[in-house]
Amino acid sequence: MKKWKVLSPLIVLALWQLLAGLGLLGKSTPTPVEVAQGIYQLTVTGFPPGYRLPGHIAASLGRVLLGFGMATLFAVPLGILMGWSPAFDNALDPLVEVVRPVPPLAWLPLALTWFGLGMFSSAFLIFLGAFFPIVLNTVSGVKSVDPYLVEAARTLGAGEATVLARVLAPAALPSIITGMRIGVGIGWMTVIAAEMVGVKSGYGLGYMILTARDVARFDYVVAGMVVIGVIGFLMDRLIKAAEKRVLRWR
Amino acid sequence: MNGNGRPALELRSLSKSFKEKKTGRTLEVLSGLDIEVRPGRLTCIVGPSGCGKTTLLRVMGGLEAPTSGEVFLGGKPVRGPGPDRGMVFQEYALFPWRTVLRNVTFGLALKGIPAREARERAEVYLGTVGLSGCEDLYPRELSGGMKQRVAIARTLAVEPSVLLMDEPFASLDAQTRNGMQEFLVDLWMRTGTTIVFVTHSVDEAVFLGQDIIGLSRRPARIVERLENTLGYPRTRTDPEFTGLRARILEYLVKEMAMERKI
Ligand SMILES: Nc1ncnc2c1ncn2[C@@H]1O[C@H](COP(=O)(O)OP(=O)(O)OP(=O)(O)O)[C@@H](O)[C@H]1O
Ligand SMILES: [Mg+2]
């Protein structure tokens, strides 16, 4: 079974090469070989010329980390409070449920007036994309904590603050990490879209893809897509590995 | 063991009712209980299943407020839970993300005991329950009996004046349960802690208890109060043991029969 993990992408690549090579996918679709060359050129020459791939990656990652970091910082304590106190939950849940379905990109016009073009506008959109999955998973994690654990802590002398920090937070950690995994994934997708409309010069994978399209360099477009996919995959793996270490007790 | 006449824990005409969420009716669970737990003694409370034993223990522990009546600990009224009344739950309630050692130091840190001293004290109590060498294991790596011994060590470590135990051995297999009963008697004789032990097993109550309190079916009233003067360790085949067990069983069967008639 395991060999299919390697074999199936290879078959897809071969088919793609064949069909695109024969021109059956339309004139603009590059072949895998062209995409590989595109990645190479992006790395050494850069696109727009001088703006090399590592710079694009660093810019996009930086925005995601800023937005995702802020989202975690706010969402986890808020989720713990909402999970712990029905009053908090009742007060904030309707707000969360109404704001949540608004796509982060819809905030862009406002974000631009608040933060201007660049880093902070994109980071804000990522913040919005990552925030809600983290809140919701934290809330459900806290709500499903075994009440006996809280009672045991109380009989051992724990007050409310201790219960929150030493019982509810660690007990909900598996759910919190799940929320973070979903959040960083959504944040990564959001950054690309945010850069397509919110970045007008410089670095960023989304910005690079859109600029490449404007000059019909579809090899760069697909090269950018491949890089985005691989980085998203690696981030997920990284969090999974961290999760395994942090949740050794499970 | 303080030999003065004052009870360690005292319940005065204590009643407890719950409001049923669906029907809105009130459900009376405890009805006018007067109980005096004498210091240093092992008191067992038996009663038919569903009669309100857990509720009674939770009121003693302060996890549930009585509807009327009061609970006194060393003469002072009890409000809310606190480390002066240690609780051991049937479900162990260990913190799964903490190692055995850190489960035991949890309450010590809250008392403001410095980390090193807490560690040493935890090790002493883990030794007391026979778990030296298990300090760095996580709860999932322990058997049921071991988990319950960690829970007991965690509670004993904060040195409560009363240890409240709610059917702590009910989810263990028969063999482990017998072992844990012997272990508890031994632990109690070594530490002299005041213990209130709730069970629905008459056999367990007679094996452990010096004072045995029998409850009626819900709403629980006290229908039986007796002293078990048999020395430890007790033998289940002893005629006095079987006699005592038969006597308590008889009242329990009566209680169950009445329930069936209703
Ligand atoms: N929080 C609560 N709200 C409403 N009813 C409750 C609550 N806690 C307990 N009860 C009811 O009180 C009664 C006594 O419950 P309790 O758990 O104290 O009995 P028990 O003697 O410990 O039973 P068991 O032998 O099953 O352990 C039951 O009918 C139960 O449904
Ligand atoms: Mg019970």
Side-chain angles (χ1 to χ4, degrees):
Chain A
M1 284 303 107
K2 201 149 192 182
K3 66 182 174 190
W4 283 104
K5 276 195 171 169
V6 187
L7 223 55
S8 74
L10 284 180
I11 292 172
V12 171
L13 272 181
L15 261 173
W16 174 11
Q17 178 71 40
L18 188 76
L19 295 175
L22 294 171
L24 294 174
L25 298 179
K27 275 207 192 70
S28 310
T29 312
T31 66
V33 173
E34 284 163 354
V35 171
Q37 284 166 347
I39 292 177
Y40 175 75
Q41 281 163 17
L42 275 176
T43 311
V44 293
T45 329
F47 181 83
Y51 289 85
R52 283 190 267 275
L53 187 59
H56 290 301
I57 293 176
S60 295
L61 272 181
R63 290 170 184 133
V64 168
L65 288 184
L66 180 65
F68 170 71
M70 296 298 280
T72 306
L73 219 60
F74 285 97
V76 171
L78 184 74
I80 291 177
L81 280 178
M82 285 173 70
W84 165 72
S85 147
F88 254 102
D89 196 29
N90 289 334
L92 292 175
D93 185 65
L95 190 66
V96 167
E97 288 305 322
V98 169
V99 180
R100 188 168 67 99
V102 179
L105 222 52
W107 288 84
L108 187 73
L110 274 183
L112 289 177
T113 70
W114 292 338
F115 304 106
L117 269 174
M119 179 81 165
F120 292 107
S121 283
S122 319
F124 177 67
L125 299 199
I126 290 139
F127 170 89
L128 289 169
F131 184 77
F132 294 101
I134 303 178
V135 169
L136 294 183
N137 277 280
T138 305
V139 171
S140 86
V142 170
K143 281 186 179 170
S144 61
V145 173
D146 186 347
Y148 285 114
L149 295 182
V150 174
E151 293 189 335
R154 293 221 163 99
T155 61
L156 290 165
E160 291 306 307
T162 311
V163 166
L164 279 175
R166 297 284 168 84
V167 182
L168 296 182
L173 194 59
S175 304
I176 294 174
I177 293 180
T178 302
M180 287 171 69
R181 259 182 74 197
I182 300 172
V184 86
I186 293 182
W188 186 235
M189 287 194 259
T190 310
V191 75
I192 306 305
E195 287 171 350
M196 286 183 172
V197 279
V199 177
K200 299 288 179 234
S201 66
Y203 286 111
L205 287 168
Y207 164 72
M208 187 277 286
I209 287 178
L210 217 69
T211 323
R213 186 205 66 171
D214 291 343
V215 296
R217 284 298 302 261
F218 290 96
D219 53 340
Y220 287 166
V221 171
V222 180
M225 289 165 65
V226 170
V227 170
I228 288 166
V230 169
I231 290 176
F233 170 77
L234 290 179
M235 284 197 306
D236 196 65
R237 276 300 156 98
L238 199 72
I239 294 188
K240 258 193 186 160
E243 179 177 16
K244 232 184 178 162
R245 281 199 62 136
V246 175
L247 303 182
R248 238 174 333 153
W249 51 270
R250 286 218 292 190
Chain B
M1 274 183 236
N2 46 348
N4 62 17
R6 180 197 275 168
L9 191 72
E10 192 181 359
L11 275 61
R12 276 196 219 141
S13 52
L14 188 128
S15 299
K16 175 73 185 171
S17 311
F18 288 109
K19 197 142 204 136
E20 277 184 338
K21 274 202 188 100
K22 271 182 254 162
T23 57
R25 279 184 313 192
T26 48
L27 181 75
E28 193 182 18
V29 178
L30 306 175
S31 175
L33 300 182
D34 288 295
I35 295 176
E36 289 187 3
V37 176
R38 291 188 278 168
R41 292 181 67 90
L42 211 172
T43 302
C44 280
I45 300 178
V46 254
S49 103
C51 76
K53 303 181 294 296
T54 296
T55 306
L56 173 58
L57 209 68
R58 288 171 60 82
V59 170
M60 288 179 176
L63 291 172
E64 225 50 272
T67 311
S68 68
E70 278 205 273
V71 182
F72 298 92
L73 183 81
K76 290 195 199 88
V78 158
R79 311 245 182 283
D84 47 6
R85 284 143 297 138
M87 291 207 53
V88 174
F89 302 82
Q90 184 182 335
E91 299 79 3
Y92 320 128
L94 295 179
F95 305 122
W97 59 89
R98 287 180 162 244
T99 59
V100 165
L101 184 82
R102 303 219 330 116
N103 262 280
V104 181
T105 55
F106 183 88
L108 299 175
L110 295 179
K111 273 194 155 181
I113 295 171
R116 250 193 70 162
E117 203 186 318
R119 196 194 159 87
E120 282 162 10
R121 199 150 132 191
E123 277 166 355
V124 169
Y125 279 98
L126 282 171
T128 309
V129 299
L131 285 179
S132 293
C134 298
E135 286 84 357
D136 297 326
L137 298 180
Y138 284 98
R140 73 168 153 83
E141 300 172 287
L142 307 175
S143 69
M146 289 164 89
K147 280 185 193 152
Q148 200 53 290
R149 282 188 283 165
V150 175
I152 292 171
R154 179 176 71 177
T155 307
L156 285 178
V158 296
E159 296 175 348
S161 41
V162 189
L163 185 59
L164 306 172
M165 308 181 88
D166 184 13
E167 307 204 33
F169 308 145
S171 43
L172 303 174
D173 62 84
Q175 210 144 3
T176 314
R177 182 160 57 236
N178 287 345
M180 288 298 288
Q181 289 165 354
E182 282 161 25
F183 157 77
L184 186 71
V185 167
D186 178 60
L187 181 82
W188 167 70
M189 298 217 281
R190 278 183 289 141
T191 57
T193 316
T194 310
I195 298 180
V196 178
F197 190 106
V198 155
T199 178
H200 69 264
S201 155
V202 176
D203 179 80
E204 189 165 60
V206 176
F207 188 81
L208 296 174
Q210 285 180 307
D211 296 312
I212 300 177
I213 297 172
L215 300 178
S216 69
R217 64 185 202 291
R218 197 187 69 219
R221 288 161 295 105
I222 294 170
V223 287
E224 188 77 86
R225 253 187 239 266
L226 49 89
E227 201 164 319
N228 181 353
T229 51
L230 289 172
Y232 298 97
R234 293 176 177 162
T235 353
R236 290 187 154 85
T237 46
D238 188 322
E240 278 189 73
F241 188 102
T242 48
L244 206 50
R245 190 171 52 195
R247 186 176 143 191
I248 301 172
L249 265 175
E250 195 183 338
Y251 112 78
L252 264 185
V253 168
K254 241 187 268 165
E255 283 297 323
M256 305 298 260
M258 281 167 72
E259 182 165 42
R260 236 168 275 132
K261 261 183 238 154
I262 292 168

